[in-house]
Amino acid sequence: MNIFRLAGDVSHLVAILILLMKIWRSKSCAGISGRSQVLFALVFTTRYLDLFTVYISAYNTVMKVVFLALSYATVYLIYMRFRNSYDSENDTFRVEFLLIPVIGLSFLENYAFTPLEILWTFSIFLESVAIMPQLFMITKTGEAESITTHYLFFLGLYRALYIANWVWRYHTEGFYDQIAIVSGVVQTIFYCDFFYLYVTRGEEIRTPS
Amino acid sequence: KADEAAHDEL
């Protein structure tokens, strides 16, 4: 554990909590892509199956359970509790265009051809593209509420901090995880355009039409 | 992965 990793995890948690609190308090999920949130729930589910097989640390276990619970709570709020406010007309990104290549890649490129390793790899690849339905929705409607942009900022910051963590770990422990690093860099690149808008235009984002 | 340790990152 190093400061970049810890800051990354905190940033990830903050992002998820911002989104959940926004939906809970406003009793609305307008402008939020339910499809992205389902993909993130799938990411956590397939990655954290090792909860049942290996014990790493109390921190690791608690965080995994928290991320799983929060991601399912978010999906529940969008599709059940506040489904009347769900903007399904603008949440139209075809997720099979992400899922099919990601499933294929996780079978081709993995650390071991075992169910758990393939699912872990699948989750890493899927996470890198899971935000695309949300970004697509913002492009389609041409706007995002400021609280939604804070969510995206912390979500992007999380993987960027993990890159610093990987550099740190390589230098101090000689540890590197090629699949996670490549996917993490790809994931962060997807946020660069958004980071630029966030910084230059302020919180509320309107894309040029 | 670089070693056989479990995936310790989140």
Side-chain angles (χ1 to χ4, degrees):
Chain A
M1 179 65 80
N2 57 65
I3 188 68
F4 303 111
R5 164 76 199 283
L6 185 63
D9 288 345
V10 169
S11 173
H12 198 181
L13 190 60
V14 165
I16 293 170
L17 286 173
I18 285 175
L19 184 68
L20 197 60
M21 293 311 291
K22 168 204 150 60
I23 296 173
W24 182 254
R25 286 191 165 174
S26 65
K27 301 192 190 319
S28 164
C29 57
I32 302 302
S33 167
R35 294 184 181 206
S36 274
Q37 295 309 313
V38 169
L39 292 181
F40 281 124
L42 189 59
V43 164
F44 289 133
T45 307
T46 51
R47 187 174 309 167
Y48 296 160
L49 289 171
D50 64 357
L51 274 171
F52 300 103
T53 59
V54 288
Y55 176 80
I56 293 162
S57 65
Y59 171 83
N60 191 281
T61 301
V62 169
M63 290 296 269
K64 283 174 174 172
V65 171
V66 167
F67 281 151
L68 276 167
L70 293 178
S71 70
Y72 277 96
T74 306
V75 168
Y76 165 77
L77 290 186
I78 294 172
Y79 285 101
M80 309 284 279
R81 182 126 185 181
F82 302 126
R83 66 173 177 274
N84 294 334
S85 61
Y86 171 51
D87 185 7
S88 58
E89 282 188 12
N90 285 313
D91 191 15
T92 52
F93 191 93
R94 300 278 295 271
V95 292
E96 58 269 37
F97 292 158
L98 298 179
L99 285 172
I100 292 168
V102 162
I103 290 168
L105 268 180
S106 55
F107 275 89
L108 286 172
E109 185 67 47
N110 50 56
Y111 293 130
F113 203 77
T114 60
L116 273 185
E117 277 299 314
I118 291 169
L119 286 168
W120 177 86
T121 312
F122 166 80
S123 83
I124 292 286
F125 290 155
L126 182 61
E127 184 188 345
S128 67
V129 294
I131 200 61
M132 288 180 81
Q134 179 67 62
L135 296 176
F136 174 78
M137 195 173 176
I138 291 173
T139 308
K140 195 174 175 189
T141 60
E143 60 185 2
E145 281 180 61
S146 65
I147 193 86
T148 308
T149 67
H150 296 325
Y151 162 70
L152 286 167
F153 174 77
F154 281 103
L155 201 59
L157 180 64
Y158 137 67
R159 221 45 174 173
L161 285 164
Y162 257 71
I163 295 174
N165 159 57
W166 292 321
V167 172
W168 179 268
R169 289 192 73 175
Y170 181 71
H171 283 287
T172 57
E173 305 168 36
F175 172 90
Y176 69 96
D177 182 329
Q178 199 177 332
I179 289 176
I181 291 170
V182 173
S183 311
V185 169
V186 169
Q187 184 172 339
T188 306
I189 289 170
F190 281 127
Y191 289 85
C192 284
D193 183 43
F194 164 79
F195 282 146
Y196 176 76
L197 289 173
Y198 185 80
V199 171
T200 57
R201 300 200 189 180
E203 301 152 356
E204 202 156 334
I205 284 181
R206 283 176 208 288
T207 53
S209 53
Chain B
K1 58 214 150 192
D3 57 15
E4 273 305 292
H7 303 294
D8 63 338
E9 292 175 343
L10 292 169

